[in-house]
């Protein structure tokens, strides 16, 4: 009899693709709505000099809420929703790469590592221009300027005004840097997210396997997976946060050199500057990763081909 503690990974060939994409888009949108405020806070913390504006994640949350209301926590969100496209490209690349690598290696660690890195490469090529615009929108504060560009007029961020701000930022980027400006920080993004994704998947499976061996057979697999996701995210965040700080500064402040940005950061704030925004990143990653993991694993189970439904344990 099969040991229920053995977590069976649902692969690409096991899925009903129509269900997978329809459910996937809805799930991704729900996740983005829930974690976007912490993404905005993390970006502002990483860009500010020292503690000139905010003293931490909670302080930033309160100050933004008081100054701009709830809408202030969602600046740039409409633009950011276009990353739904890159999200679907990410999961497709991940699953197809796992299938390809399986012809050469049966090691789950190898498949996860290669697939995670490849998926991130594809997704970042689509995401970076969207990120550049949305990050500049995140930097907008009433009466003050945090980034390179300041939108003109009303900053209420509602209706036509929100799209007006987006067009204004796009024009300013084009005027200042040309089309190349939309890929500012592309290399830094790759150096941040490829390792992050490549590390997350192997650690996720590793933690899930360790937990499954420690827990009773009757414990649902989704519980192991829900705990393993945040553990893997925290591990990956700690390892890649220094590059994430540099990436954000390159994109928002218009810097051209990763090395010079690193040197300036070290000179101004020392090694601790490389950990800026880490708590906000982990705080946003923990609930979002639980939702992502539970949602993604449930999505795959719901998208199983009918003849395979009874062969997978929850």
């Amino acid at each position: 009899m099969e040991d229920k503690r053995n977590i069976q990974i649902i692969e690409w060939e096991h899925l009903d693709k129509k269900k997978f994409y329809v459910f996937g888009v809805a799930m991704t949108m729900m996740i983005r709505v829930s974690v976007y405020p912490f993404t905005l806070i993390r970006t502002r913390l990483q860009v500010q000099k020292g503690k000139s504006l905010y003293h931490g994640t909670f302080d930033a949350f309160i100050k933004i809420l008081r100054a701009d209301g709830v809408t202030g926590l969602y600046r740039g969100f409409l633009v950011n929703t276009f990353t739904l496209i890159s999200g679907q490209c990410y999961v497709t690349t991940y699953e197809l790469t796992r299938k390809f690598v399986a012809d050469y290696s049966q090691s789950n660690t190898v498949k996860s590592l290669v697939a995670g890195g490849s998926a991130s490469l594809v997704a970042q090529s689509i995401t970076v221009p969207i990120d550049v615009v949305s990050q500049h929108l995140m930097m907008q504060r009433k009466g003050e300027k945090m980034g390179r560009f300041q939108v003109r007029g009303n900053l209420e961020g509602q209706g036509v005004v929100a799209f007006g701000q987006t067009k204004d930022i796009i024009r300013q980027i084009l005027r200042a840097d040309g089309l190349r400006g939309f890929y500012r920080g592309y290399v830094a993004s790759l150096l941040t997210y490829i390792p992050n994704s490549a590390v997350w998947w192997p650690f996720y499976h590793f933690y899930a396997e360790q937990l499954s061996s420690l827990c009773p057979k009757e414990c649902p697999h989704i519980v192991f997976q829900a705990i393993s996701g945040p553990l893997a995210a925290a591990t990956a965040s700690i390892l890649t946060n220094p590059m994430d700080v540099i990436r954000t500064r390159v994109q928002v402040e218009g810097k051209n050199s990763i090395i010079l940005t690193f040197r300036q950061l070290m000179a101004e704030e020392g090694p601790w500057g490389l950990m800026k925004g880490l708590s906000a990143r982990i705080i946003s990653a923990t609930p979002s990763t639980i939702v992502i993991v539970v949602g993604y694993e449930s999505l795959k189970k719901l998208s199983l081909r009918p003849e395979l439904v009874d062969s997978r344990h929850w």
Side-chain angles (χ1 to χ4, degrees):
M1 185 175 177
E2 184 183 1
D3 188 347
K4 289 187 178 182
R5 286 180 297 187
N6 180 31
I7 299 177
Q8 295 174 291
I9 297 172
I10 299 172
E11 302 289 5
W12 181 251
E13 60 270 20
H14 303 149
L15 299 173
D16 178 326
K17 309 306 186 292
K18 183 178 179 181
K19 287 182 182 177
F20 182 71
Y21 284 116
V22 171
F23 292 151
V25 169
M27 181 196 75
T28 305
M29 189 64 181
M30 289 170 60
I31 292 167
R32 292 192 185 281
V33 170
S34 64
V35 305
Y36 190 82
F38 289 102
T39 303
L40 181 143
I41 289 168
R42 184 193 77 203
T43 302
R44 289 196 179 186
L45 287 174
Q46 290 177 339
V47 170
Q48 73 171 350
K49 303 296 183 183
K51 295 184 177 180
S52 56
L53 293 170
Y54 310 115
H55 297 290
T57 302
F58 184 71
D59 182 56
F61 179 82
I62 295 299
K63 285 182 177 176
I64 294 169
L65 204 58
R66 284 176 179 169
D68 302 322
V70 175
T71 56
L73 294 168
Y74 282 90
R75 291 204 189 284
F77 179 74
L78 290 175
V79 174
N80 194 261
T81 56
F82 286 102
T83 56
L84 286 171
I85 299 168
S86 66
Q88 297 309 301
C89 290
Y90 178 94
V91 295
T92 302
T93 304
Y94 177 78
E95 296 295 345
L96 287 174
T97 304
R98 277 186 65 91
K99 183 180 178 182
F100 175 78
V101 175
D103 294 336
Y104 301 92
S105 173
Q106 291 304 309
S107 168
N108 188 49
T109 300
V110 172
K111 288 191 285 187
S112 299
L113 186 72
V114 176
S118 301
S120 189
L121 173 62
V122 171
Q124 285 306 304
S125 298
I126 301 169
T127 300
V128 168
I130 301 168
D131 265 352
V132 168
V133 176
S134 66
Q135 283 176 343
H136 282 297
L137 289 168
M138 288 178 191
M139 292 299 100
Q140 304 305 312
R141 302 174 70 238
K142 290 181 180 178
E144 297 181 65
K145 178 180 178 181
M146 285 189 72
R148 294 171 68 202
F149 307 122
Q150 179 75 45
V151 295
R152 294 183 292 273
N154 195 340
L155 277 178
E156 293 302 317
Q158 296 180 6
V160 177
V161 176
F163 289 106
Q165 291 176 19
T166 302
K167 288 198 297 185
D168 194 17
I169 289 293
I170 290 172
R171 286 196 194 102
Q172 291 184 57
I173 293 171
L174 279 171
R175 195 177 302 121
D177 303 320
L179 289 173
R180 190 173 63 176
F182 293 102
Y183 273 90
R184 185 176 292 279
Y186 177 63
V187 173
S189 291
L190 295 183
L191 293 176
T192 301
Y193 290 115
I194 289 179
N196 187 84
S197 181
V199 166
W200 188 90
W201 286 102
F203 270 110
Y204 166 62
H205 291 300
F206 170 76
Y207 288 134
E209 288 167 5
Q210 297 306 306
L211 288 169
S212 72
S213 66
L214 296 172
C215 295
K217 292 181 181 181
E218 296 74 22
C219 190
H221 291 174
I222 203 73
V223 174
F224 310 146
Q225 293 161 334
I227 297 171
S228 300
L231 290 174
T235 304
S237 294
I238 291 168
L239 293 174
T240 62
N241 199 74
M243 199 64 230
D244 192 39
V245 175
I246 293 168
R247 173 194 67 86
T248 303
R249 290 202 169 196
V250 167
Q251 289 180 335
V252 174
E253 296 181 353
K255 298 182 184 298
N256 294 312
S257 170
I258 294 173
I259 301 298
L260 291 178
T261 303
F262 171 75
R263 288 176 178 170
Q264 182 183 356
L265 181 64
M266 291 294 288
E268 292 176 352
E269 305 187 44
W272 284 109
L274 297 171
M275 290 294 111
K276 293 182 75 171
L278 178 60
S279 61
R281 191 176 177 190
I282 292 176
I283 288 170
S284 66
T286 298
S288 67
T289 306
I290 292 172
V291 174
I292 289 170
V293 167
V294 172
Y296 189 63
E297 295 294 349
S298 299
L299 166 67
K300 290 173 79 174
K301 289 182 176 72
L302 291 170
S303 303
L304 272 170
R305 300 205 320 264
E307 65 271 23
L308 297 174
V309 171
D310 293 333
S311 67
R312 296 295 187 273
H313 300 296
W314 286 73

